[in-house]
Amino acid sequence: MIEFVFLGTSASAPSVERGLSAAMVMHEDQRFLVDCGEGTQRQILKSGLGFKRLDTVLLTHGHLDHILGLGGLVSTFARWEARSYLCIYAGAWALERVRDLLNVVLRGGEVQLKIELKELQPGVFWRRHGLTITAFPVSHRGPGCFGFLFEEESRRPFLVEAAERLGLPAGPERKLLVQGKAVTLADGRTIQPDHVLGPLIPGMKLAWVGDAGTIEGLHGYVAAADALVIEATYLDVEADMALRFGHLTASQAATLAYEAGVKSLYLTHISRRYSPSQVLAEAQPIFANTVVVRDLDWFRLTRAGAPETECPAGEKAPREELQA
Ligand SMILES: [Zn+2]
Ligand SMILES: [Zn+2]
């Protein structure tokens, strides 16, 4: 299961209803803060997520509405939360800006917090505990802008009833079979993985695009994703401004979702120029399964057919259930 929580959904400047860009993506015990606009730390607290296990930040690009919150977050981590480690992944130009920002915040002072800045290149940069993250190039204003593809490993479920029928003891034999290895039991019988593993269940796929000036070149990366998160700063009526400032219109974002065959679309980076219903009204005729997200909206993607849940992909998760 992959969960994602929007912490800030406003374009460029905050509004009364919306904070600046930030979101939390979660897979099992791993958490990723994607972008960190001004005010993010308070949104993290309001969401109920808290700072626990938050040590990895992914930045789509270096514009101030996506990074300024790092100053406050790092200051809190270094001075009040006694945190020891934070790793920030971003393109070279964004990292340069983050370095400048952190120099102002920390002023070369001695802090316990070790901050690692890791420069992104297109390709896989994270492969741990059943999750792979790939960075892919996005064209926006300035160099080194990236989107992220979060992919859960596909897996075959262990069929407990079949194992019981075969008299397979609980213990290391089961683990070996899950790993795809045959085991020979004490009575001489050999059990093959196919005897106790169900059909392959594909892992969830979440594609995340920050600010973008065009959808050209993105189709291959986001194709068939269970969810696509992408900006929709403008409407078609102001397509000339979208082009000038390197942003997308709602209809361009929806066109990408349609052409790339994604299952659900989440529009963010919403401008104060329009109401969310105007944004939805432009996108939905092109791609029906569209949500214009709000701050603190919480979604989860679960494997289709997975026995542990009946929640369909993209269904909004009940917040109470997930805040534990
Ligand atoms: Zn932005
Ligand atoms: Zn930007």
Side-chain angles (χ1 to χ4, degrees):
M1 177 168 73
I2 297 177
E3 292 175 82
F4 49 109
V5 182
F6 290 91
L7 300 167
T9 58
S10 184
S12 309
S15 69
V16 174
E17 293 85 18
R18 295 176 186 272
L20 290 174
S21 288
M24 196 83 80
V25 175
M26 296 173 284
H27 178 258
E28 296 180 0
D29 282 346
Q30 300 156 75
R31 287 176 158 198
F32 306 91
L33 180 62
V34 181
D35 288 340
C36 188
E38 177 198 334
T40 294
Q41 54 175 335
R42 188 145 185 273
Q43 294 294 85
I44 292 173
L45 297 173
K46 275 175 92 173
S47 69
L49 289 162
F51 298 135
K52 226 169 107 190
R53 290 182 278 111
L54 177 55
D55 59 11
T56 309
V57 180
L58 316 180
L59 299 176
T60 57
H61 64 300
H63 285 157
L64 294 178
D65 59 321
H66 296 253
I67 68 163
L68 266 185
L70 278 174
L73 190 72
V74 162
S75 173
T76 299
F77 275 17
R79 296 186 169 92
W80 305 105
E81 289 280 323
R83 302 296 294 260
S84 57
Y85 180 71
L86 187 68
C87 184
I88 301 169
Y89 291 87
W93 183 76
L95 284 186
E96 208 180 298
R97 225 168 178 191
V98 167
R99 208 172 279 121
D100 288 348
L101 176 64
L102 297 187
N103 280 340
V104 171
V105 172
L106 300 171
R107 295 176 69 96
E110 276 296 302
V111 290
Q112 290 292 313
L113 180 65
K114 181 179 186 306
I115 302 173
E116 240 184 306
L117 303 182
K118 293 198 179 174
E119 187 185 327
L120 286 174
Q121 303 290 343
V124 174
F125 66 95
W126 181 281
R127 201 192 296 273
R128 252 174 258 178
H129 309 300
L131 184 77
T132 299
I133 314 178
T134 306
F136 56 88
V138 171
S139 170
H140 177 48
R141 302 194 318 275
C145 305
F146 288 98
F148 304 111
L149 185 62
F150 300 82
E151 287 176 283
E152 212 180 11
E153 245 172 41
S154 299
R155 65 173 174 82
R156 296 176 67 184
F158 187 78
L159 305 174
V160 178
E161 277 180 18
E164 299 295 330
R165 269 200 309 276
L166 290 165
L168 189 72
E173 290 87 355
R174 294 190 179 199
K175 199 173 167 191
L176 288 170
L177 285 160
V178 168
Q179 290 166 354
K181 295 171 190 155
V183 297
T184 303
L185 302 181
D187 61 12
R189 284 181 301 143
T190 297
I191 310 287
Q192 298 294 338
D194 281 345
H195 297 150
V196 292
L197 298 182
L200 194 72
I201 299 174
M204 289 287 110
K205 193 167 156 182
L206 167 65
W208 201 284
V209 179
D211 296 4
T214 175
I215 58 170
E216 293 302 314
L218 295 177
H219 295 69
Y221 299 109
V222 310
D226 296 282
L228 167 64
V229 175
I230 193 166
E231 72 130 303
T233 311
Y234 288 94
L235 296 184
D236 257 359
V237 66
E238 292 184 301
D240 54 332
M241 286 192 39
L243 190 65
R244 182 145 37 106
F245 293 113
H247 285 293
L248 296 179
T249 66
S251 79
Q252 285 176 307
T255 300
L256 173 64
Y258 174 75
E259 290 176 350
V262 307
K263 295 198 178 82
S264 54
L265 172 66
Y266 301 83
L267 298 178
T268 185
H269 209 267
I270 305 301
S271 167
R272 288 172 295 172
R273 310 164 77 83
Y274 323 110
S275 70
S277 54
Q278 285 177 294
V279 179
L280 192 66
E282 180 166 303
Q284 234 168 9
I286 301 165
F287 188 81
N289 197 10
T290 300
V291 180
V292 178
V293 300
R294 300 162 305 177
D295 285 16
L296 306 182
D297 274 355
W298 193 318
F299 301 92
R300 63 176 164 177
L301 300 170
T302 57
R303 294 168 194 259
E308 68 264 30
T309 176
E310 290 164 3
C311 182
E315 181 176 321
K316 193 173 167 184
R319 217 167 273 169
E320 319 77 62
E321 190 190 320
L322 293 167
Q323 276 190 355

